[in-house]
Amino acid sequence: MMHIGYFTAGLAILGAIGVSAHAAAADFARPRPSPPSAPIPPVFTWTGPYAGVNAGYAMGRLRTKIGWAGRQDAVAADPIFVTGLGAARRERDGFTGGAQIGYNYQMGSIVLGIEADFDALKLRHGALASGRLVNGETGEIVDAAMRSSQSLHWLATLRPRIGWTVFDRFMVYGTGGLAVARASQRSQGLLSVTGASVAPIADPTLDPAATETAAAPAPVPGLFGTVGKSGSGYRYGWALGAGAEYAVTDEISVKGEFLHIQMKGRNVAAAPLDPATAGVAFGARNTSNVQMIRAGVNYRF
């Protein structure tokens, strides 16, 4: 009987082992689920609004041309009085800084956009010219000297941009558009009129010989006077340039840019300040252009 008990127990153990082996084989045969795939990062795009700040270096080439327009009673009859005194050109440079705002729209590798910016700058220039003008008919001699200065205080532009993405986050672009600046101007001058001849009025009571003698031209004393004019206003022109921009993150990009700004000239009349020089007209024409090299940071919304 004892042998039958051992035999029965052995069969039970073998059956349990077989069931476990079958269950393990079933686990190995069943396919295991694959781990979830990593999300695909979105493709970077330049499309959208942005705003930022910039700082750099401005180099201004300011030109002042000073002219003598003549006397009111002599311009028509004596064209020799209409001539130039001279011109001067100087370069000034300094720090510039400001802010910009814009919008980009990307189509493939092409990025179209528009940008407006405002920069403070301080460029000042003065020119001094002098000359001697002689009226060959009357002998009148005018010695004149004049100084004219101009300053640019700030500059703003509105420019379309067209760019090309060298790769997703790096773009080169060209830009051009309108420019406006706040400018002030001042002109001052000194002049001396000498050697003019006048004929005294003949006295009809005198005999003819005496009248002819009295009517001979006689010199008059020299006249001194000053002229001046100052004021401020807006100057308009155009801007043209190029740059490159790199997106450090999806929101922040850095850029480098060069701009050439050409401003329209402005005439400044110098009105007489002394009765002795009434009718004498001076004038100056101020023109300027600015080259800006600057770096900037933009935040993309």
Coordinates of all heavy atoms in Angstrom, one line a residue, residues 56-98:
G56 N 24.1 99.1 -32.1 CA 25.2 99.0 -33.0 C 25.9 100.3 -33.2 O 25.9 101.2 -32.3
Y57 N 26.4 100.5 -34.4 CA 27.3 101.7 -34.8 C 26.7 102.4 -36.0 O 26.4 101.7 -37.0 CB 28.7 101.1 -35.0 CG 29.8 102.2 -34.9 CD1 30.0 102.7 -33.6 CD2 30.5 102.6 -36.0 CE1 31.1 103.7 -33.5 CE2 31.5 103.5 -35.8 CZ 31.8 104.1 -34.6 OH 32.8 105.0 -34.5
A58 N 26.6 103.7 -35.9 CA 26.1 104.5 -37.0 C 27.2 105.4 -37.5 O 27.9 106.1 -36.7 CB 24.9 105.3 -36.6
M59 N 27.4 105.4 -38.8 CA 28.4 106.3 -39.5 C 27.7 107.2 -40.4 O 27.0 106.7 -41.4 CB 29.4 105.4 -40.3 CG 30.2 104.5 -39.4 SD 31.1 103.2 -40.3 CE 29.8 102.1 -40.7
G60 N 27.7 108.5 -40.1 CA 27.0 109.5 -40.9 C 27.9 110.3 -41.8 O 29.0 110.7 -41.4
R61 N 27.5 110.5 -43.1 CA 28.2 111.3 -44.0 C 27.3 112.5 -44.3 O 26.3 112.4 -45.0 CB 28.6 110.6 -45.3 CG 29.3 111.5 -46.3 CD 29.8 110.6 -47.5 NE 30.8 109.7 -47.0 CZ 31.4 108.8 -47.9 NH1 31.0 108.8 -49.1 NH2 32.3 108.0 -47.4
L62 N 27.5 113.6 -43.7 CA 26.7 114.8 -43.8 C 27.4 115.9 -44.7 O 28.6 116.2 -44.5 CB 26.4 115.4 -42.4 CG 25.6 114.5 -41.5 CD1 26.5 113.5 -40.8 CD2 24.8 115.3 -40.5
R63 N 26.6 116.4 -45.6 CA 27.2 117.3 -46.6 C 26.4 118.7 -46.6 O 25.2 118.7 -46.6 CB 27.2 116.8 -48.0 CG 27.8 117.6 -49.1 CD 27.9 116.9 -50.4 NE 28.7 117.6 -51.4 CZ 28.2 118.5 -52.3 NH1 26.9 118.8 -52.2 NH2 29.0 119.1 -53.1
T64 N 27.1 119.7 -46.5 CA 26.5 121.1 -46.5 C 27.1 121.9 -47.6 O 28.3 122.0 -47.7 CB 26.8 121.8 -45.1 OG1 26.2 121.0 -44.1 CG2 26.2 123.2 -45.1
K65 N 26.2 122.4 -48.4 CA 26.6 123.3 -49.6 C 26.0 124.7 -49.3 O 24.8 124.8 -49.1 CB 26.1 122.7 -50.9 CG 26.5 123.6 -52.1 CD 26.0 122.9 -53.4 CE 26.5 123.7 -54.6 NZ 26.0 123.2 -55.9
I66 N 26.9 125.6 -49.2 CA 26.5 127.0 -48.9 C 26.6 127.9 -50.2 O 27.5 127.8 -50.9 CB 27.4 127.6 -47.8 CG1 27.3 126.7 -46.6 CG2 27.1 129.0 -47.5 CD1 28.4 127.0 -45.5
G67 N 25.5 128.7 -50.4 CA 25.5 129.5 -51.6 C 25.1 130.9 -51.3 O 24.5 131.2 -50.3
W68 N 25.4 131.7 -52.3 CA 25.0 133.2 -52.2 C 24.0 133.4 -53.3 O 24.3 133.1 -54.5 CB 26.3 134.0 -52.4 CG 26.1 135.4 -53.0 CD1 26.2 135.7 -54.3 CD2 25.8 136.5 -52.3 NE1 26.0 137.1 -54.4 CE2 25.8 137.6 -53.2 CE3 25.6 136.8 -50.9 CZ2 25.5 138.9 -52.8 CZ3 25.3 138.1 -50.6 CH2 25.3 139.1 -51.5
A69 N 22.8 133.9 -53.0 CA 21.8 134.0 -53.9 C 21.7 135.4 -54.5 O 20.9 135.7 -55.4 CB 20.4 133.6 -53.3
G70 N 22.5 136.4 -54.0 CA 22.5 137.7 -54.6 C 21.7 138.7 -53.7 O 21.3 138.4 -52.6
R71 N 21.6 139.9 -54.3 CA 20.8 140.9 -53.7 C 19.5 141.1 -54.5 O 19.5 140.9 -55.7 CB 21.5 142.2 -53.7 CG 22.8 142.2 -52.9 CD 23.5 143.5 -52.8 NE 22.7 144.4 -52.0 CZ 23.2 145.6 -51.5 NH1 24.4 146.0 -51.9 NH2 22.4 146.4 -50.8
Q72 N 18.4 141.5 -53.8 CA 17.2 141.6 -54.5 C 17.2 142.5 -55.7 O 16.5 142.3 -56.7 CB 16.1 142.0 -53.5 CG 15.8 141.0 -52.5 CD 14.7 141.5 -51.5 OE1 14.4 142.7 -51.5 NE2 14.2 140.6 -50.6
D73 N 18.0 143.6 -55.6 CA 18.0 144.6 -56.7 C 19.1 144.2 -57.7 O 19.4 145.0 -58.6 CB 18.2 146.0 -56.1 CG 19.5 146.0 -55.3 OD1 20.1 145.0 -55.1 OD2 19.9 147.1 -54.9
A74 N 19.8 143.1 -57.6 CA 20.9 142.8 -58.5 C 20.9 141.5 -59.1 O 21.6 141.2 -60.1 CB 22.2 143.0 -57.7
V75 N 20.0 140.6 -58.6 CA 20.0 139.2 -59.1 C 19.7 139.2 -60.6 O 20.3 138.5 -61.4 CB 19.0 138.3 -58.3 CG1 18.9 137.0 -59.0 CG2 19.5 138.2 -56.9
A76 N 18.6 139.9 -61.0 CA 18.1 139.8 -62.4 C 19.1 140.5 -63.3 O 19.4 140.0 -64.4 CB 16.8 140.5 -62.5
A77 N 19.6 141.6 -62.9 CA 20.5 142.4 -63.8 C 21.9 141.9 -63.8 O 22.7 142.1 -64.7 CB 20.5 143.9 -63.4
D78 N 22.4 141.3 -62.7 CA 23.8 140.9 -62.5 C 23.9 139.5 -62.2 O 24.0 139.1 -61.0 CB 24.5 141.8 -61.5 CG 24.4 143.3 -61.8 OD1 24.7 143.6 -62.9 OD2 23.9 144.0 -61.0
P79 N 23.9 138.6 -63.1 CA 23.9 137.1 -62.8 C 25.2 136.7 -62.1 O 25.3 135.7 -61.5 CB 23.9 136.5 -64.2 CG 23.2 137.5 -65.1 CD 23.7 138.8 -64.6
I80 N 26.2 137.6 -62.1 CA 27.5 137.2 -61.5 C 27.3 137.1 -60.0 O 28.1 136.4 -59.3 CB 28.6 138.3 -61.8 CG1 29.9 137.8 -61.3 CG2 28.2 139.6 -61.1 CD1 31.1 138.7 -61.7
F81 N 26.2 137.7 -59.4 CA 25.9 137.5 -58.0 C 25.4 136.2 -57.7 O 25.3 135.9 -56.5 CB 25.0 138.6 -57.6 CG 25.7 139.9 -57.2 CD1 25.9 140.9 -58.2 CD2 26.1 140.1 -55.9 CE1 26.6 142.0 -57.8 CE2 26.7 141.3 -55.6 CZ 27.0 142.3 -56.5
V82 N 25.0 135.4 -58.6 CA 24.4 134.1 -58.3 C 25.6 133.1 -58.5 O 25.9 132.7 -59.6 CB 23.3 133.7 -59.3 CG1 22.7 132.4 -58.9 CG2 22.2 134.8 -59.2
T83 N 26.2 132.7 -57.5 CA 27.3 131.8 -57.5 C 27.4 131.0 -56.2 O 26.7 131.3 -55.3 CB 28.6 132.5 -57.8 OG1 29.7 131.6 -57.9 CG2 28.9 133.5 -56.6
G84 N 28.3 130.1 -56.1 CA 28.4 129.3 -54.9 C 29.6 129.7 -54.1 O 30.6 130.1 -54.6
L85 N 29.5 129.6 -52.8 CA 30.6 129.9 -51.9 C 31.4 128.7 -51.6 O 32.6 128.8 -51.4 CB 30.0 130.5 -50.6 CG 29.5 131.9 -50.6 CD1 29.0 132.3 -49.3 CD2 30.5 132.9 -51.1
G86 N 30.8 127.5 -51.6 CA 31.6 126.3 -51.3 C 30.8 125.2 -50.6 O 29.6 125.4 -50.4
A87 N 31.4 124.1 -50.4 CA 30.7 123.0 -49.8 C 31.7 122.2 -49.0 O 32.9 122.3 -49.1 CB 30.2 122.0 -50.9
A88 N 31.2 121.5 -48.0 CA 32.0 120.7 -47.1 C 31.3 119.4 -46.8 O 30.1 119.3 -46.7 CB 32.3 121.5 -45.8
R89 N 32.1 118.4 -46.7 CA 31.5 117.0 -46.3 C 32.4 116.4 -45.2 O 33.6 116.4 -45.3 CB 31.6 116.1 -47.5 CG 31.1 114.7 -47.3 CD 31.3 113.8 -48.5 NE 30.5 114.3 -49.6 CZ 30.5 113.7 -50.8 NH1 31.3 112.7 -51.0 NH2 29.7 114.2 -51.7
R90 N 31.7 115.9 -44.2 CA 32.4 115.3 -43.1 C 31.6 114.0 -42.7 O 30.4 113.9 -42.9 CB 32.4 116.3 -41.9 CG 33.4 117.4 -42.1 CD 33.4 118.3 -40.8 NE 34.4 119.4 -41.0 CZ 34.6 120.3 -40.0 NH1 33.9 120.2 -38.9 NH2 35.4 121.3 -40.3
E91 N 32.4 113.2 -42.1 CA 31.8 111.9 -41.6 C 31.8 112.0 -40.0 O 32.8 112.4 -39.4 CB 32.6 110.7 -42.1 CG 32.6 110.6 -43.6 CD 33.2 109.3 -44.0 OE1 33.7 108.5 -43.2 OE2 33.2 109.0 -45.2
R92 N 30.7 111.5 -39.5 CA 30.5 111.5 -38.0 C 30.0 110.1 -37.7 O 29.3 109.4 -38.5 CB 29.5 112.5 -37.5 CG 30.1 113.9 -37.6 CD 31.2 114.1 -36.5 NE 31.6 115.5 -36.5 CZ 32.7 115.9 -37.1 NH1 33.3 115.1 -37.9 NH2 33.1 117.2 -37.0
D93 N 30.4 109.6 -36.5 CA 29.9 108.2 -36.2 C 29.6 108.2 -34.7 O 29.9 109.1 -33.9 CB 30.9 107.2 -36.5 CG 32.3 107.5 -36.0 OD1 32.5 108.3 -35.1 OD2 33.3 107.1 -36.7
G94 N 28.9 107.1 -34.2 CA 28.5 107.0 -32.8 C 27.6 105.8 -32.6 O 27.3 105.1 -33.5
F95 N 27.3 105.7 -31.4 CA 26.4 104.5 -31.0 C 25.0 104.8 -31.4 O 24.5 105.9 -31.5 CB 26.5 104.4 -29.4 CG 25.5 103.4 -28.9 CD1 25.7 102.1 -28.9 CD2 24.3 103.9 -28.4 CE1 24.8 101.2 -28.4 CE2 23.3 103.0 -27.8 CZ 23.6 101.6 -27.9
T96 N 24.3 103.7 -31.7 CA 22.9 103.7 -32.0 C 22.2 102.5 -31.4 O 22.8 101.5 -31.2 CB 22.6 103.7 -33.5 OG1 21.2 103.7 -33.8 CG2 23.2 102.4 -34.2
G97 N 21.0 102.7 -31.0 CA 20.2 101.6 -30.3 C 18.8 101.9 -30.4 O 18.3 103.0 -30.5
G98 N 18.0 100.8 -30.4 CA 16.5 101.0 -30.5 C 15.8 99.7 -30.5 O 16.2 98.7 -29.9

